[in-house]
Amino acid sequence: MVNYDFYMDIAISKAWEFQALTLPNPSVGALILDSNNAIVALSAHEVFGGCHAELSAIKSAFIYFNRNRDIETITNPFEIYDYLIKNHNGCFYNTKIFVTLEPCAHSGKTPSCAALLSELKPSEVIISHRDVNKFASGGIEILKSSGIKVTYGILENKGRDLLYPFLCICNQASFTIYKIAQRLNGSFENGIISSRNSMIYSHQMRSIADNIIISQKTVLDDNPLLDSRLVCGRAPNVIVVGRKNRLHNGLNIFKANRKVSFVSNLDDISISGFNIIEGGSTLFDAIKDRIDCLLVFLSPNMQQGRNFVSDFNGRIIHSMRIGKDVVLWIQKD
Amino acid sequence: MVNYDFYMDIAISKAWEFQALTLPNPSVGALILDSNNAIVALSAHEVFGGCHAELSAIKSAFIYFNRNRDIETITNPFEIYDYLIKNHNGCFYNTKIFVTLEPCAHSGKTPSCAALLSELKPSEVIISHRDVNKFASGGIEILKSSGIKVTYGILENKGRDLLYPFLCICNQASFTIYKIAQRLNGSFENGIISSRNSMIYSHQMRSIADNIIISQKTVLDDNPLLDSRLVCGRAPNVIVVGRKNRLHNGLNIFKANRKVSFVSNLDDISISGFNIIEGGSTLFDAIKDRIDCLLVFLSPNMQQGRNFVSDFNGRIIHSMRIGKDVVLWIQKD
């Protein structure tokens, strides 16, 4: 039952667990089948600068094949690469490697995955989406020229949805999400809504975001910290939107080491990098045309209270469970 | 990387695709690994009276192992059973079979799965949840007494969530869901909300439901058919809830061959069998204490309009994508 869609789907789902957390790198997943078609590794690119998905999966499979954990203690991607080149002994010759994105041809913060694969010589590399980054693309040609069978376009639409945040960064130098935490009936005020696991994921995202954009009303009413304390990460810069600047130094947003700016006109915000907008229905209505994604943390409860009242049409590009919530990634239609 | 949780999770997800459609039977999934740990079959119990998940998976694996499609044309479960007993030739000796529920000991509409497995002798049967039905349980003992290794309790909580509708039927002779079709912001009126695929799934459920419970206001305002025309199925009986009976023969609900009854007091409804309540916020508030599950079809759009205003606490037991929507199965807390 070697169905390429089936295995690619597993690799894509794995990658989504770390969506946006790898920016400005893409989210990527990889899965390896041994010569008998047993799954021997499943990995994702988890953090910018860390191992690419292919390298992580190859490392896991190497440990499994060789019952040798020496490589486990190596964390530097270039050292892992060197170790594998020296020690692989052909153990990948009859494997199939599924990757959600064309392996990179480029050596930068991490070594070139295509170059590694062309040494390890799996029998086939199966790819969902071709690379679109001119610095990193060309991987398929490297693989083919070293005699490896390459199949691409498997679940390509799902592969493109996975890449969407990265594609926004590539094409417009920014990726902007509007984050909503709400209950099942749409109410979004009064009390804690999301589970702790959802908050940890939010803080992970904040720790790599360039800016949080928020209304002055929320800053004054709720006095939020807007940091990433749950993951001990850095605090993103804050752009506060309001009519007249009423911010004062006693507010919690000034406690972290970061830039806080104020704009009275949304058009004055020059959106660049990775931006998270946190707000209610009014801010959403004003800024919805400038967002790339809606990220909804939905808790399975109902409580009376205001809900969003905009007109909006979207497309779910992924849904996942986090803690007791469901998280929906929704691309604007 | 033979991780029992990983494979059981795949089997559980497969079974959820047919949740409630097998009632009064449980939803069950099965996955088979060959001697090399490659996945060779993945199946679910799809319809009451049809093949159990194990039998479907075993049939698929048999075809794969023997490159012999003769069995494909056999659809009667007893005939499949007999064919396998005669022709298996030991091809399952080194397989591992994952089943979300203890294989049945009982021979009824279909043959006993435990008896079949004890003949096929896989090396191991891995089970999520033990059976709770006294007529069908005892499967583990049958397997063990024929020398098969049995492991159970794998992802047991997820296995129990999968069984929840069946457990309601076993314990209280009824399973009642409140179905909501709503937009992201909670609005549930004006226009078509759910995608066609979601409607097909709803109609599949209606086709096996005993009753639809609905408010008289909805019947008079919308004049719905409440049938299962999209799947050419039977129309469930309708229980209309209102103050004073204003139903008349011209209404669409009277077009199908079924029983329509009227109640003015919710306490007069004797809930039994599989019941689907379709309604808005008012009916929900009145009847929410008597439901077992909330089933929410959520479309990724927003539009102004009324939302639910109840207090409700739930737990998501499964989420899945259907068409452009997300469908949430929520157990009342």
Side-chain angles (χ1 to χ4, degrees), chain A residues 20 23 50 54 57 68 75 135 156 163 180-181 240 248-249 253 285 297:
Chain A
L23 287 175
E54 303 91 315
N68 175 349
T75 54
F135 297 110
E156 193 173 19
L163 278 186
I180 302 176
V240 181
H248 55 85
N249 286 336
I253 53 170
D285 224 34
F297 290 80

Side-chain angles (χ1 to χ4, degrees), chain B residues 265-285:
Chain B
N265 186 339
L266 284 176
D267 296 333
D268 291 344
I269 304 176
S270 68
I271 286 181
S272 73
F274 175 27
N275 306 283
I276 302 171
I277 311 176
E278 302 193 11
S281 188
T282 313
L283 183 57
F284 181 73
D285 224 34

